[in-house]
Amino acid sequence: MKTTEIKPQNRTAIPAPTARLNFAKAAPKVFRAVIGLDAAAREGLDPTLVELVQIRSSHLNHCAYCLHMHTTDARKAGESEERLHMVAVWQEAAPFFTEKEQAALALTDAVTRIADAGVPDAVYNQAAAHFDDEELAQLLALILTINTWNRIALATAKRAGTDER
């Protein structure tokens, strides 16, 4: 496989694979199913919250493609640069986020990093205090979906800024 060199600031060069599988073309039924899950997961949730969750999961998964896409979408929806910069450090920047957003971000962290410690009762209970059962199920579905998209984008070497939706 042919590679190109990416030289991030203050980091060692990382070989970047080129020309990987086009997932949408290779598995169109699966791709459409994930799109359907994504659309269903968003129903009833605040669009700002949706973007914050997707940005946070993309940070944790190191998915530049999705991070670029969702920060762009959040800006278009009117999200402030200040809050976008704080998502990565939301726990230290709590005043920038509502209690409900903090609960959603904590749940996003736990579910995205589920292999580390599962979903602690305190995190789940905090989310359940801010979301009714239907909203909580939607939020969980959203977190599961963005983790799926992150894994598809990373496995197929999607490049940030190429938003191929």
Side-chain angles (χ1 to χ4, degrees):
M1 174 179 357
K2 187 177 179 181
T3 62
T4 56
E5 292 290 311
I6 298 173
K7 296 182 180 179
Q9 203 171 15
N10 299 325
R11 295 182 78 185
T12 307
I14 301 168
T18 57
R20 284 197 181 168
L21 172 75
N22 180 324
F23 189 83
K25 285 184 181 177
K29 285 184 180 179
V30 175
F31 189 76
R32 285 191 305 271
V34 178
I35 288 172
L37 176 61
D38 188 288
R42 294 167 182 257
E43 287 181 19
L45 293 176
D46 178 317
T48 298
L49 181 71
V50 168
E51 295 304 332
L52 292 175
V53 165
Q54 292 177 323
I55 290 165
R56 181 59 181 159
S57 182
S58 298
H59 276 139
L60 295 173
N61 288 320
H62 302 274
C63 184
Y65 177 81
C66 293
L67 184 58
H68 181 269
M69 180 187 302
H70 294 295
T71 55
T72 299
D73 289 349
R75 283 183 191 95
K76 287 179 185 174
E79 186 59 79
S80 73
E81 287 297 317
E82 192 171 48
R83 279 175 34 108
L84 290 176
H85 292 296
M86 294 297 124
V87 174
V89 292
W90 71 268
Q91 291 170 325
E92 292 79 22
F96 288 89
F97 304 100
T98 68
E99 287 184 12
K100 188 172 186 173
E101 289 169 340
Q102 291 175 47
L105 291 168
L107 188 62
T108 300
D109 285 9
V111 173
T112 299
R113 294 179 167 163
I114 202 157
D116 293 347
V119 177
D121 287 342
V123 171
Y124 182 86
N125 292 337
Q126 178 187 18
H130 291 281
F131 296 90
D132 64 29
D133 285 352
E134 185 178 325
E135 289 176 311
L136 186 55
Q138 294 298 122
L139 178 59
L140 282 169
L142 178 69
I143 297 165
L144 299 174
T145 304
I146 188 55
N147 274 278
T148 299
W149 284 127
N150 290 163
R151 282 152 177 75
I152 290 169
L154 289 164
T156 61
K158 293 284 205 184
R159 292 288 164 237
T162 61
D163 193 354
E164 300 168 350
R165 285 184 275 188

